Amino acid sequence: MEPLSRPALLLLLLLRSAPLAAAVEPISMGIAVGVATALTGLLSTFPTLYCKFQECCEAQWVQLNLTGLKTDLENKLFGQHIATQVVLKAIKGFLTNPTPKKPLTLSLHGWTGTGKNLLSKIIAENIYRNGLESDYVHQFVSTLHFPHPEHLSHYKEQLQKWIRGNVTLCGRSMFIFDEMDKMQAGLIDAIKPYLDYYDNIDGVVYRKAIFLFLSNAGGERITESTLDFWHKGRKREDILLKDLESKVSIGVFNNKKSGFWHTSLIDKNLVDYFVPFLPLEYKHVKLCVREELKARGYEEDEHIITEIADEMTYFPESEKIYSDKGCKTVATKVDFYL
């Protein structure tokens, strides 16, 4: 049995307390009628009152801040012009459409430290007032939530119940699947019906939900293409989504080590965009360090910024263009220097 939501639980307590009060102290019929009327009025307005103080699935808690999303993407997500453009348009189009045909499904691909988790955080913070801490944002980490191959059938059933229950509570729920490259093949197919073009499934409408898949798979192909642009003397900003998207989708579909291996999500075209995250250059690492200092309330120190960026390791060996960890270890290095 699914646990009661907080509003439902409080309503239940109110209902149970009324007859108890009457039993403790006998009251006249007139007062009883008055109490019943007052209680009915309280219950009718309770959801509105509750939403003023506690998170609920209403506009004051769940609503797109388009200006904030645009600003955060431009000022915090460094070196990812494709991701910035695609996500801004996709989120805006989806959340301003009152009757979407299916849930929004984005698959983010690239090496570690390039900004996939940061992008998820930015999206959450500009839709949900409580950001990643919202009751309507749900994160799954493959190695944590689905670690044992022998429990695959159980995981499928559990995942379906989890998504069905949460979308029932709030149609505008967001689900983040991290480490898709480590997920057991076939598991993600369990949620295929929820991503498809259905008006509802057993009375539950999934069309307003958002699904994000994060994966390192495809990073090698993305890096190869980015490096090829560099060797040809072309700017990384000239790289378009169409230059990489098909390479990434085909690559993860045919990769036996990917959670997307031969998945029906790709086969049935249920992933709206495969978003490539390009490898980060030295200048992007410096921007990450500067942003980390700013977030901690420190003044920009060009000497520290340069020292930390110089400490990072870069590849290929001959050119040393791209950071092999992206900005993954920047926060730790800032700790050391401060």
Side-chain angles (χ1 to χ4, degrees), residues 95-133:
L95 291 180
T96 55
N97 181 359
T99 56
K101 301 298 183 183
K102 65 179 290 297
L104 177 63
T105 308
L106 304 176
S107 192
L108 317 181
H109 296 265
W111 288 133
T112 183
T114 51
K116 301 184 297 296
N117 280 291
L118 174 60
L119 178 59
S120 301
K121 182 173 183 286
I122 289 173
I123 293 174
E125 289 178 343
N126 286 287
I127 297 177
Y128 306 90
R129 195 201 293 186
N130 288 346
L132 290 174
E133 300 302 315

Side-chain angles (χ1 to χ4, degrees), residues 15-56:
L15 286 170
R16 286 179 175 175
S17 65
L20 179 61
V24 171
E25 183 179 350
I27 53 178
S28 67
M29 182 61 71
I31 296 177
V33 171
V35 170
T37 302
L39 182 59
T40 301
L42 176 62
L43 294 178
S44 66
T45 59
F46 184 78
T48 302
L49 291 172
Y50 179 85
C51 288
K52 287 184 178 180
F53 304 102
Q54 293 291 332
E55 184 181 29
C56 59

Side-chain angles (χ1 to χ4, degrees), residues 63-114:
Q63 188 172 39
L64 174 63
N65 177 2
L66 184 59
T67 301
L69 177 63
K70 185 174 186 295
T71 300
D72 285 347
L73 289 173
E74 292 175 349
N75 296 336
K76 297 180 180 180
L77 189 66
F78 305 121
Q80 304 301 348
H81 67 282
I82 298 176
T84 296
Q85 294 166 6
V86 171
V87 168
L88 187 61
K89 291 181 179 179
I91 294 291
K92 177 184 177 182
F94 180 72
L95 291 180
T96 55
N97 181 359
T99 56
K101 301 298 183 183
K102 65 179 290 297
L104 177 63
T105 308
L106 304 176
S107 192
L108 317 181
H109 296 265
W111 288 133
T112 183
T114 51

